[in-house]
Amino acid sequence: MFFGTYDTATHPRVLVLAQGLRACGASVVECNAPLGISTAERVAAVRQPWRAVPLAGRLARRWWRLARAARTIRPRRDAAVIDAVVVGYLGLFDVHLARALFRGVPTVLDHMAGAADTGADRRLGRGMRHRLLSTVDRAALARSSVVVVDTDEQRDALPPQVRARSVVCPVGAPDTWFTAGAEVPASPDADGPLRVVFFGLYTPLQGAPIIGAAAALLAGRPVRFTMIGHGQDDAATRQAAADADVQWRTWVAADTLPAVVAAHDVCLGIFGAGPKAARVVPNKIFQGAAAGCAIVTSDTAPQRRTLGDAAVFVPPGDPAALAAALDRLATDRAELARLRTAAHTVAGQAFTAGRAATPLWHRILSTRMELR
C-alpha cells in the first residue's frame, strides 16, 4: 500500500516506485490524500511559526480522510494481505499515522531528503529551527521499518543505526517520460539554435542563478533557453540572465511537461555548490534522459556514477564552464546527437520504474520472509 499526503504531480518519485513495484510483480493499492502544500510553504511555516497553524489544520483533515480510507481498503481481519506500507516522499509526519493504522505491517519511508537537509538548503540557518527539523527527521526514521534513499551518499548521511535498514533506489523516471522520448526525431535540427531547458523549483540546490549567468554569457550565440518554474532564486536568476534569449514559463502541467522537455536538445541538471548538491541525482536528470535530451549537469560523484560518458559535466557553481559546454554543443551537432542517444540508452537500461524499484522489491520480500 502507498500511503500518505504525497502528490505525484509535484513529486513523481512516488509514482516511479509504485509503477516499478507493479512491474516487479506487486499488487499495489493507494491510500492517498494530497496535502496541497508546497515545500516552500512548509519552509515558510518553520521560518514564521504562525503559518504552521493552518498547515496543521489541513494535515489533520487529510489524516482524517486517510484513516477512513484505510479502514475501507484494509479491514482488520485482512491485515495479512498487506506486506508493506510505503509512505510517500515528504511523509515525515505521515509515517507516524501509518504505524498507528497498520500495526504489525512493515512501514517503508521514502526519505529522499530530510527536513533538516531541506531547511539548510533553503537557508534557514543552524539554530533552533535546525534542531527542530532534526528532531522531526529522527522521529520519522525511528518509526520506519525500511528507509529508502536515492544515492549511496544519501545513505551515508543517515544515522549509523538507520543505515542497516536502508535501501538505495535511484529516482528513475515515470513511464510517460519514456513515451515522450520515443517520439523525438533521431537527429537534432542542425540549422536552428541549441534548445536548452531547465525545470525546477529554483532552490539553492538547483543553482538556477548559475544558469541565468551562463545564459547572459551566451547572448548572441545560437543557444535558446526555456526556464520552467519559480521559487526562492527566481528573481536572482532573471537578474543574472539580463537580456539573454530566454523564454520564462512559471510552470507546465505535469501531464504535458514530458513532451515540452522532449522538444529540446539539452536538459540541464543542478549546479548548486552546497553539500546536498554533492549527494543527490535530481529527478530532472532521469526525466530529461528518458525524454531523449542530452544532459548537462554539475560534476559530482553520484551524477557521474549514474550517467558515465552519457552526459557533459561542469564544475558546480561555474557559469562560465556551463556556457562553454553549451556553446560547444551548439556548434558540434554530431556530439549533441551522440549525447542524446547515449542518455536515452542509459535511461532505458537503468532509469525505468522497474529498475528503480527493484532494490525495494527485494527488501520487501526479504522483510516478509523474516516476519514469517
Side-chain angles (χ1 to χ4, degrees):
M1 173 183 287
F2 275 72
F3 178 88
T5 57
Y6 61 85
D7 186 347
T8 58
T10 54
H11 296 105
R13 158 74 161 193
V14 191
L15 178 61
V16 170
L17 289 179
Q19 289 179 346
L21 288 176
R22 287 189 177 101
C24 290
S27 174
V28 175
V29 295
E30 289 192 75
C31 186
N32 177 221
L35 188 59
I37 295 177
S38 68
T39 302
E41 290 173 300
R42 298 170 198 241
V43 171
V46 178
R47 185 177 280 117
Q48 301 169 319
W50 63 87
R51 293 178 179 269
V53 176
L55 189 155
R58 180 176 292 202
L59 180 62
R61 291 190 293 274
R62 298 304 186 274
W63 276 16
W64 175 250
R65 291 186 197 174
L66 289 171
R68 293 183 63 186
R71 287 195 295 270
T72 301
I73 294 172
R74 195 221 70 177
R76 290 184 182 277
R77 65 180 179 274
D78 295 332
V81 304
I82 298 178
D83 296 296
V85 176
V86 181
V87 179
Y89 177 55
L90 292 179
L92 294 171
F93 294 111
D94 296 339
V95 68
H96 299 285
L97 179 62
R99 285 295 297 268
L101 292 174
F102 302 98
R103 297 182 184 278
V105 180
T107 303
V108 179
L109 176 65
D110 185 18
H111 190 65
M112 282 213 310
D117 216 10
T118 300
D121 181 53
R122 302 298 180 99
R123 306 185 181 115
L124 282 181
R126 303 290 297 182
M128 183 181 66
R129 295 187 182 109
H130 180 78
R131 292 193 293 272
L132 173 63
L133 295 176
S134 296
T135 299
V136 171
D137 286 332
R138 288 194 297 271
L141 293 172
R143 296 290 283 168
S144 306
S145 310
V146 177
V147 176
V148 183
V149 293
D150 59 311
T151 68
D152 292 337
E153 287 78 4
Q154 290 286 73
R155 180 175 57 188
D156 292 342
L158 292 172
Q161 67 273 22
V162 178
R163 289 176 204 155
R165 48 190 173 85
S166 67
V167 61
V168 177
C169 293
V171 174
D175 297 341
T176 51
W177 289 84
F178 289 93
T179 301
E183 299 171 358
V184 174
S187 300
D189 182 4
D191 298 323
L194 183 74
R195 300 163 299 178
V196 179
V197 65
F198 168 84
F199 59 98
L201 298 176
Y202 286 69
T203 64
L205 164 77
Q206 297 173 356
I210 304 302
I211 301 171
L217 292 172
L218 289 168
R221 298 294 297 158
V223 181
R224 179 174 299 158
F225 290 80
T226 300
M227 300 289 290
I228 302 172
H230 61 92
Q232 183 174 345
D233 286 343
D234 193 348
T237 303
R238 291 174 182 262
Q239 182 178 10
D243 297 325
D245 187 0
V246 180
Q247 179 188 21
W248 302 94
R249 302 183 65 171
T250 302
W251 196 241
V252 172
D255 58 345
T256 58
L257 183 60
V260 170
V261 172
H264 292 77
D265 301 307
V266 175
C267 181
L268 297 176
I270 57 173
F271 303 93
K276 183 179 176 181
R279 298 197 306 266
V280 303
V281 182
N283 60 1
K284 55 183 64 64
I285 293 299
F286 298 96
Q287 294 166 346
C293 296
I295 303 298
V296 179
T297 192
S298 56
D299 192 356
T300 64
Q303 293 190 100
R304 187 174 282 277
R305 186 171 63 244
T306 299
L307 292 161
D309 63 356
V312 175
F313 301 99
V314 300
D318 190 338
L322 175 57
L326 294 174
D327 200 23
R328 286 193 298 272
L329 293 180
T331 55
D332 189 347
R333 296 306 172 101
E335 176 63 4
L336 174 63
R338 184 196 72 79
L339 285 167
R340 294 183 68 168
T341 300
H344 196 245
T345 299
V346 169
Q349 294 172 344
F351 300 169
T352 64
R355 291 279 188 175
T358 293
L360 176 57
W361 173 241
H362 290 321
R363 178 58 66 91
I364 290 173
L365 292 179
S366 64
T367 301
R368 181 175 64 173
M369 293 301 296
E370 290 169 6
L371 292 175
R372 289 180 177 177

